[in-house]
Each structure stands twice: as structure tokens, then as C-alpha cells.
Amino acid sequence: MSVLAWIALGSCAVWAWLLLGQGLFWRTDQRLPHTPPEPGGRRPGGGWPSVAVVVPARDEAEVLPVSLPSLLAQDYPGRAEVVLVDDGSTDGTGDLARELSERCGGLPLSVVSPGPPEPGWTGKLWAVRYGIGVARARSGDDHGPATGRDAGAGPRTGTGTGPGRTPADFLLLTDADIAHEPDSLRRLVAAARAHELDLVSQMARLRVANIWERLIVPAFVYFFCQLYPFRWINRDGARTAAAAGGCVLLRAEAAERARIPDAIRDAVIDDVALARAVRRAGGRIWLGLAEHVDSVRPYPGLADLWRMVARSAYAQLRHSALLLAGTVAGLALVYLAPPVCLAAGVLTGDGVAAWAGGAAWAVMAGTYVPILRYYRQPLWPAPLLPVTALLYLLMTVDSAVRHHQGRGAAWKGRTYPRPQAAPER
């Protein structure tokens, strides 16, 4: 057999394994666990626990008019409050949040400012830490009613942990570009209580409105599911752990056990790091696709999507040139080889290469269809997945180039260096 035929057969074998042996990653049936009401209409577990919703926000005035009112309008039977942490915004994010709260009403809102991050902290996690500390101060030991709005900097906090001073029973960590349907918080808490989960995360449905978003965004979720199969994550005792940072409901006592966010303070991919820390501390985690949670952030062009992917792709590879080389080779074999082998096999009369390349391409496109249907998209991007994979390959290489040029994980005016290894204890 020719070299081309061996490459095609290798790609075909990889796709056969991915189809059946990678946790059925391509299926989209991992949704929020069902929580039937108890007899008499009562929800499982009796009274509803208190929740502090922490929203880190940096220059989010564009999306806040859509996302924040959806949080304030949550139909939650227990006590809940929203803490928006204005992380050095220059576009009036904090003032807009207060204005929206006055106009929309609903849950009580506190707007606070943490000041610049201390050395060793990423901006988002510094804001999350500060927001948790503010919620703790609002709640107090007696879990009394939440206060109204706070335009100041709020109280200075310590590590964010401490016995007997939980900010609430649960923390909802959600991004400023995430919109929640009115029953979102209630469903999240009900699932966590009914199934005794310490972390419940939903991957928000990202915006898909223009041609570039259609080509790239569903593939982003597809590749994430392939890397972190939800079925594996949701098994008790599994080694695989991940979360989706846009929507994470975290039991407060589990956060204290895992020292969240202090234990992951320099993580660029903070959602995966958070889930791993919770699992290491003995917590039960769950991740699935959202039905009531949507991202409203627009990505008008390819450059916007490119920056979104490139800012953390090399961090995902632990800034390793060896892993980068392996990733490039793997993407080439798995996604680029099938159409190339099919075309070359037809042109050269190599039947094995053509058949194996075509079969691999067909399986690839077929496994992409469920994600496209989840996003309510036409199916034309399915056979174009090799093109999309090539774009992701180039984004990953660009991410490495940016890192070595000192631009690293850049986001909204901040650039984060490679995280330092934690000292041994």
C-alpha cells in the first residue's frame, strides 16, 4: 500500500475510536439533571438555600443591558443577591449596572470595585475573590437580608475562606455576557440539591448570527467536548474534570474546601482549573449543555473570534512546544488528512486512500451534526469541519507565537505570563 493509503487508514482508525471510545463526546444529551417536584408541589429538600451571584465585569457596557436584567429578574424562591465587580472598567460599566438595577428592580444588586489585581492573580479571579468577600460581608453570620447597592470599593477581604463565614449556601459565578432565563437559578440549585452536587456548570449557548460565528462557534464547543467528554466528567471518581466559566453554581462549603479562588489565582483557563480543584477536594461535579443560559457577546468578524481562541490556546497546552507540535500533527492527521487523502486517492487511482479518507471524513461530519442541531444551524458547516480545524490550528500556532513575543494571554488590556508552579508544602 502507498504512504497515502496508510495515512488515510490511520485517520479512519482514529475516527472509529473517537466515535465509540471518547465518551460519546459528539452526543448532546448531557443536559441539566431533571428534578421532579416532591408530593404537594414542594421542591426536593424543603426550603431554598441562599445564593450569592458574583459577576466579574471589565468594560462590559455593550452587553450588560441584555445580561444583567436577566439576572435581576431571576424567579428564585429563596434569598439571592447579585454582586457585580467592576474590574477597572473605562466604559461606564459600573454606572450602567446601577442604572439598570434602578430601572429593572428585582434581586438586590451591589456594584463594587476591587482595585488592580495583586501580583500572581488574573484579573477575573481577583474580581471573583473580591466579589465573594463582599457577599460574605453582606450576608454576615446570621444570613440576614442582603443590602442594596454599593458604589464604593467594598470591604477589604482576606483569602476568601474562613470557617463559619460562608457568603451564602451557594455561589453562582457567571460572566457579564451571559443571559439567564428567569428559572435558570432555580433549576441550577434544584439540580445541585437533588443530586448532591458540589459544582453544577452549564456551557452557555454562544451567539451564532453571522457566517464566521456559524463556521467557528459550534466547532469551539465540539472541540471542547472532544477534549473533555461530558460523560466522563459527570462520573463519580472520574479523573477528567472541567467546567464552563460562564455559568458555575458552586456550593460554598465546597469552595472553602478547595480554597477557591485562591488555589487557582493565576489560572488563565480558570473554569477547568476550578473544576479540577473542586474534584481534588472530594467534590462532585457536573457539566452539560445549557438550555436556559445564553452568551450575548457578539463576534462580528474572524479577527474577534481569532483573538478569543488565541488568547488561551497555548495555555491549554501548558506552554509546551512539544505539546504544540503534537497538537499540530494530530489535527493534521485527524481533520486535514481525510479530505486530502480522498482527493489525492481519486486523482491517483489509489482506491484504499480514497475509500479510507472518504469514510473518515463522513464520520467526522456525522459527529458534528448533533452540535449543529443543538445550535439550530443548517448542516452545511459539517463537511467544512476540516476548514474550521485548519483555522483552529493556525489560531493555536498564533497563540504560541504571541506568548513567545511577550503578548501571552492578552485580554482587555491585560497580558498574563505563564503561571508559576505552586511551591511544594
Side-chain angles (χ1 to χ4, degrees):
M1 285 193 301
S2 66
V3 173
L4 192 68
W6 280 113
I7 292 173
L9 287 171
S11 182
C12 198
V14 170
W15 274 108
W17 177 78
L18 287 172
L19 178 67
L20 301 174
Q22 188 66 4
L24 300 180
F25 75 93
W26 45 272
R27 297 191 60 176
T28 57
D29 55 352
Q30 295 296 292
R31 309 293 177 91
L32 200 64
H34 181 56
T35 53
E38 293 180 349
R42 294 179 58 200
R43 290 280 176 173
W48 289 83
S50 58
V51 182
V53 182
V54 178
V55 186
R58 179 173 170 84
D59 292 334
E60 297 288 9
E62 180 183 8
V63 296
L64 217 56
V66 180
S67 61
L68 184 58
S70 75
L71 280 174
L72 300 176
Q74 285 301 298
D75 177 21
Y76 184 66
R79 184 179 64 81
E81 65 168 325
V82 180
V83 179
L84 185 138
V85 187
D86 183 6
D87 181 20
S89 299
T90 59
D91 65 350
T93 288
D95 291 336
L96 177 59
R98 296 183 191 95
E99 178 186 334
L100 290 168
S101 178
E102 294 286 353
R103 187 193 314 163
C104 301
L107 297 183
L109 171 72
S110 299
V111 179
V112 297
S113 301
E118 291 181 355
W121 285 82
T122 63
K124 178 180 177 180
L125 290 172
W126 175 251
V128 167
R129 172 185 186 261
Y130 197 81
I132 293 174
V134 169
R136 175 180 297 108
R138 296 288 184 270
S139 301
D141 288 336
D142 60 356
H143 282 213
T147 63
R149 298 155 187 82
D150 179 8
R156 295 290 176 183
T157 59
T159 62
T161 61
R165 297 264 321 168
T166 57
D169 299 304
F170 283 92
L171 302 166
L172 175 61
L173 311 180
T174 185
D175 289 344
D177 65 332
I178 302 297
H180 295 253
E181 292 188 15
D183 60 349
S184 172
L185 180 57
R186 176 160 43 87
R187 287 172 174 268
L188 286 164
V189 173
R193 298 177 71 204
H195 299 274
E196 298 181 345
L197 297 167
D198 295 295
L199 182 153
V200 179
S201 181
Q202 290 185 290
M203 177 162 283
R205 204 188 303 256
L206 305 176
R207 192 188 103 126
V208 178
N210 59 52
I211 189 168
W212 286 113
E213 289 173 341
R214 288 191 175 96
L215 186 65
I216 292 175
V217 167
F220 179 85
V221 179
Y222 175 86
F223 293 141
F224 185 93
C225 294
Q226 189 177 86
L227 191 60
Y228 302 103
F230 290 177
R231 276 180 170 75
W232 290 359
I233 292 168
N234 298 339
R235 292 178 190 164
D236 285 340
R239 296 182 60 185
T240 305
C247 177
V248 177
L249 182 77
L250 181 60
R251 200 178 293 269
E253 60 184 12
E256 293 188 4
R257 287 198 308 268
R259 296 179 56 250
I260 300 297
D262 295 66
I264 59 169
R265 60 185 176 272
D266 60 352
V268 174
I269 307 176
D270 53 89
D271 43 13
V272 174
L274 188 153
R276 287 173 175 168
V278 171
R279 174 151 278 172
R280 281 196 302 268
R284 300 184 67 222
I285 70 175
W286 183 92
L287 172 62
L289 295 172
E291 295 175 303
H292 301 269
V293 181
D294 298 275
S295 172
V296 297
R297 188 181 302 283
Y299 293 97
L302 176 60
D304 304 283
L305 288 159
W306 193 290
R307 282 192 295 271
M308 184 267 290
V309 175
R311 71 186 178 96
S312 61
Y314 197 42
Q316 180 69 57
L317 300 177
R318 294 177 288 186
H319 304 96
S320 166
L322 185 61
L323 286 178
L324 175 65
T327 298
V328 170
L331 286 171
L333 174 65
V334 176
Y335 289 99
L336 306 186
V340 170
C341 289
L342 172 60
V346 170
L347 291 174
T348 62
D350 190 332
V352 174
W355 173 87
W361 195 2
V363 173
M364 180 197 315
T367 59
Y368 193 34
V369 166
I371 284 289
L372 291 173
R373 286 179 172 165
Y374 166 74
Y375 272 94
R376 307 183 188 100
Q377 293 300 303
L379 300 185
W380 62 260
L384 295 180
L385 191 55
V387 175
T388 306
L390 175 60
L391 289 173
Y392 273 90
L393 186 155
L394 296 174
M395 293 173 192
T396 303
V397 172
D398 183 49
S399 179
V401 171
R402 293 179 186 215
H403 171 79
H404 290 292
Q405 289 178 341
R407 291 182 289 157
W411 188 245
K412 294 191 176 181
R414 288 175 176 155
T415 301
Y416 300 108
R418 177 177 180 173
Q420 299 297 316
E424 296 184 2
R425 295 182 182 274

